[in-house]
Amino acid sequence: MDWGYVLDLLSCSKLRSANGIPPPEMIKICCDGSSRGNPGNEGDGIILRNHEEALIRGISVELRICTNFIAEVITIILGHKWASTMGWNKAVVASDSLAAIAIFIKGRVPWAFASRWNNIRHSFWRIHFETVQREVNFSADCMVRRGSVLPQGIRECHDGRPPMLTFFELSNMVYYCFM
């Protein structure tokens, strides 16, 4: 028996997928932003899902050089923009950035993005924010990694499941985080 492996199993955390199913009238916006370097090239990854857990759209975007925090803020705004253009007016936003979610809940969006956020926000009747563990946000994480290597200003938009996603989160699954 390999005791190192047994000890590793004992130091793992059991995580439930926070990517639960939204109500039928809402869309789930799973988003992640990153910066290759801090500051560095920014990538945004957005997954839009419906109440049947189907992937409606996957988006990867490379925008500009910024910090990780600003990348997370931009991703949440872009996720709402895409959901709005598809006709949705109620959303559940899932992000692994507690700081980004907190500023949206408190209404303290950075001034550089405040007017853009206010314009998009008013097209929604209801917005629910939730933070998720990074380990259960892997579909958006896959999209953001793709976005951060795209040429500047380029976006990839896939209706349905993006081809680079070999698997995605399911609400009835249990995930593990090994520390």
Side-chain angles (χ1 to χ4, degrees):
M1 174 182 279
D2 183 3
W3 287 102
Y5 179 71
V6 172
L7 291 175
D8 284 344
L9 285 178
L10 294 175
S11 64
C12 72
S13 297
K14 189 175 179 180
L15 302 173
R16 271 246 174 266
S17 174
N19 286 332
I21 303 168
E25 71 278 0
M26 297 181 85
I27 189 165
K28 182 117 184 191
I29 304 170
C30 301
C31 49
D32 196 11
S34 78
S35 179
R36 291 173 91 62
N38 199 13
N41 291 342
E42 180 224 351
D44 293 329
I46 303 159
I47 296 288
L48 302 177
R49 302 178 77 167
N50 67 9
H51 67 283
E52 297 172 342
E53 291 192 281
L55 276 69
I56 299 171
R57 183 165 285 169
I59 304 134
S60 294
V61 183
E62 200 291 327
L63 293 175
R64 59 178 171 220
I65 294 177
C66 68
T67 64
N68 287 328
F69 174 72
I70 294 300
E72 296 281 358
V73 170
I74 291 171
T75 304
I76 292 171
I77 293 171
L78 284 178
H80 279 84
K81 178 184 173 194
W82 280 98
S84 176
T85 59
M86 294 177 67
W88 293 92
N89 57 16
K90 297 177 185 171
V92 175
V93 180
S95 173
D96 58 9
S97 174
L98 180 60
I101 292 291
I103 65 154
F104 282 95
I105 290 172
K106 293 177 183 175
R108 295 185 179 164
V109 177
W111 66 269
F113 308 104
S115 64
R116 188 173 187 186
W117 168 243
N118 286 330
N119 290 337
I120 294 170
R121 168 176 76 98
H122 289 302
S123 64
F124 283 84
W125 293 355
R126 181 175 170 209
I127 301 171
H128 173 76
F129 291 97
E130 64 183 28
T131 56
V132 296
Q133 294 286 333
R134 185 175 189 271
E135 292 81 7
V136 292
N137 198 26
F138 51 82
S139 58
D141 189 55
C142 175
M143 298 303 288
V144 77
R145 277 186 269 122
R146 175 75 180 152
S148 64
V149 296
L150 290 173
Q152 188 168 9
I154 299 296
R155 73 171 179 248
E156 286 185 353
C157 185
H158 303 275
D159 287 331
R161 183 174 169 179
M164 73 276 293
L165 274 183
T166 53
F167 55 93
F168 54 91
E169 308 89 352
L170 296 172
S171 62
N172 60 351
M173 294 294 292
V174 175
Y175 299 95
Y176 294 91
C177 173
F178 294 94
M179 296 179 209

